[in-house]
Amino acid sequence: MPKIEYKSIKFQQKSLELIRLVNQVVEEYQAQGYELTLRQAYYQLVARGYIPNNERSYKNIGNLINDGRLAGLIDWHSITDRTRNLRSNSHWDNPADVIASARYSYLLNKWDGQPNYVEVWVEKDCISLWCIIKC
């Protein structure tokens, strides 16, 4: 999505510089094929010494990114939110497509008959890793 000015906001010079740094960090990662979350962008700014690592600073960056988007200075798609997913009903053009789709959903329980069952839980979604092991 292009940068579109939805709201006219007068930023202080310090805020404009931070917006420039946010865009720079995001563009560096996009060039490598990555999408950053707000938290990841924040920690990149902290790691580079641009902002302090505290709760207030995190909230300020979140507000600044939101305002920067509204002012057309930050692309809406440049920061991703992995906790919000689009949900919709599945649709098919004909019954044959439903059957083809079901074929890919059919899986045997690989834990069935195993002496142990293992689960791995992580606190933060940004460090979760989903892996399908095909045996």
Side-chain angles (χ1 to χ4, degrees):
M1 174 179 254
K3 298 175 184 176
I4 300 171
E5 183 179 352
Y6 293 103
K7 183 177 177 183
S8 181
I9 301 174
K10 292 194 180 239
F11 292 98
Q12 293 181 359
Q13 190 59 37
K14 182 180 176 183
S15 295
L16 288 171
E17 178 61 19
L18 264 177
I19 288 172
R20 187 189 67 76
L21 293 170
V22 167
N23 283 326
Q24 177 184 320
V25 166
V26 168
E27 288 167 8
E28 286 175 20
Y29 278 86
Q30 284 177 337
Q32 299 175 55
Y34 297 107
E35 292 181 339
L36 294 181
T37 63
L38 169 62
R39 185 171 296 278
Q40 290 168 326
Y42 164 74
Y43 280 123
Q44 282 300 311
L45 295 171
V46 168
R48 296 170 191 213
Y50 298 139
I51 58 173
N53 184 12
N54 57 49
E55 187 68 27
R56 182 176 181 191
S57 182
Y58 180 73
K59 288 180 182 180
N60 288 344
I61 284 296
N63 290 334
L64 182 68
I65 288 173
N66 185 61
D67 288 345
R69 286 172 161 172
L70 290 171
L73 301 176
I74 298 175
D75 187 322
W76 283 90
H77 290 21
S78 65
I79 307 282
T80 189
D81 186 348
R82 296 184 189 130
T83 62
R84 294 183 188 15
N85 299 310
L86 178 64
R87 297 176 193 253
S88 65
N89 292 329
S90 300
H91 296 87
W92 295 271
D93 293 330
N94 57 61
D97 290 345
V98 174
I99 293 168
S101 177
R103 181 179 72 182
Y104 293 106
S105 299
Y106 177 76
L107 295 171
L108 295 174
N109 182 356
K110 293 179 177 132
W111 289 104
D112 195 31
Q114 297 295 320
N116 297 303
Y117 175 78
V118 178
E119 287 186 9
V120 177
W121 291 56
V122 294
E123 180 182 347
K124 299 287 183 187
D125 187 52
C126 64
I127 61 172
S128 65
L129 174 64
W130 296 96
C131 181
I132 298 174
I133 302 172
K134 296 185 178 183
C135 300

